[in-house]
Amino acid sequence: GTQLRSSSAPQLSRMSGDEDKGALAERSNYYYAHSNTSSKTLVGATEIYNHKALSPEEAQKLRRHDSQGESSWNSAGTWEEKDFSKWATERLKELITEIQTPGGLQFTDVPTVDDCSCSVVFSRGKKKTILEIEKVKISWNNAHTEGKSKGKVELTDVSSSSLDDFQFAVKVDKDEGNKPQLEADLKGCKGLLQSVFKKLIEEVSAK
């Protein structure tokens, strides 16, 4: 009859731990091997990370970070964020109502500050203050004519990343036949409002 040839089954060799890691490393640059020491090596990369004590210079650098207001754990370069939104909202109202335009118009009230977000962020040893406000409404009147001229100013899209780009709209509710002069005076105070936002950011940063 027909004879069947017996074929040997494929032989699977069992590699040792080191051989296994070496073969896997050859096939992939992303194999992460843990050694028996405190070192950790990323196979395929050139860096080996070891824990070591801080040098005196590094320790002094961390102390300087602490003195700038960072928490002790943040000195290692972690992320920390402190919220000052409520404080910034009230302080902004105070600063704005101190403004008087060159033409004698007084900012009397700030009835609306919508979606004010103000925080100080610590990251990798650096400190940054972020301010974002959706809308600010300001009431004004003419201090020299006992309020016979009055109206509102509306600011939108205020951002610390670009304080020159917020939107600025003027409304005259009542005037004394001098509406064009009032509008020109109000529009000319945009720089004063930019200074207020810069001052607010500086005050928050100092906290």
Side-chain angles (χ1 to χ4, degrees):
T2 304
Q3 292 184 344
L4 298 177
R5 291 185 179 181
S6 62
S7 59
S8 59
Q11 298 297 312
L12 298 178
S13 63
R14 189 172 186 84
M15 294 183 288
S16 67
D18 292 339
E19 291 172 337
D20 193 9
K21 293 176 184 177
L24 184 56
E26 289 179 3
R27 296 195 300 272
S28 171
N29 287 331
Y30 299 97
Y31 178 69
Y32 185 68
H34 291 275
S35 69
N36 293 327
T37 66
S38 60
S39 302
K40 291 183 179 180
T41 307
L42 183 63
V43 178
T46 57
E47 292 183 88
I48 297 177
Y49 300 94
N50 292 303
H51 295 290
K52 62 180 181 179
L54 292 176
S55 68
E57 292 78 11
E58 290 171 326
Q60 179 62 29
K61 184 178 180 181
L62 294 185
R63 283 193 290 271
R64 285 200 302 270
H65 287 172
D66 284 343
S67 67
Q68 294 169 359
E70 297 174 80
S71 63
S72 57
W73 58 266
N74 189 55
S75 300
T78 53
W79 173 278
E80 181 181 6
E81 182 174 0
K82 294 183 179 180
D83 182 60
F84 292 96
S85 300
K86 185 176 180 180
W87 184 90
T89 297
E90 297 307 313
R91 180 57 177 150
L92 178 63
K93 293 177 180 180
E94 294 174 357
L95 292 172
I96 287 178
T97 52
E98 293 174 0
I99 293 178
Q100 187 173 98
T101 71
L105 303 181
Q106 179 71 47
F107 288 167
T108 57
D109 187 29
V110 185
T112 303
V113 179
D114 285 343
D115 292 333
C116 175
S117 174
C118 184
S119 60
V120 175
V121 174
F122 299 97
S123 180
R124 296 183 180 180
K126 294 182 179 180
K127 181 178 180 180
K128 183 179 181 180
T129 300
I130 300 173
L131 175 67
E132 303 285 340
I133 305 174
E134 182 179 324
K135 183 185 295 183
V136 180
K137 287 185 179 180
I138 306 166
S139 300
W140 61 268
N141 64 32
N142 192 331
H144 297 318
T145 59
E146 299 179 351
K148 292 181 180 179
S149 296
K150 62 182 181 179
K152 296 179 181 64
V153 171
E154 185 173 296
L155 317 178
T156 53
D157 300 327
V158 178
S159 174
S160 55
S161 62
S162 183
L163 288 177
D164 296 335
D165 293 338
F166 66 82
Q167 302 300 308
F168 185 84
V170 172
K171 183 179 180 182
V172 177
D173 295 328
K174 184 179 178 182
D175 68 90
E176 302 162 78
N178 59 343
K179 184 176 180 179
Q181 290 88 345
L182 293 173
E183 291 178 334
D185 187 31
L186 289 165
K187 290 177 180 177
C189 73
K190 185 175 182 179
L192 293 174
L193 290 165
Q194 288 172 339
S195 298
V196 163
F197 292 125
K198 290 177 181 177
K199 181 175 176 60
L200 178 63
I201 291 170
E202 289 173 359
E203 290 185 3
V204 173
S205 298
K207 286 187 169 297

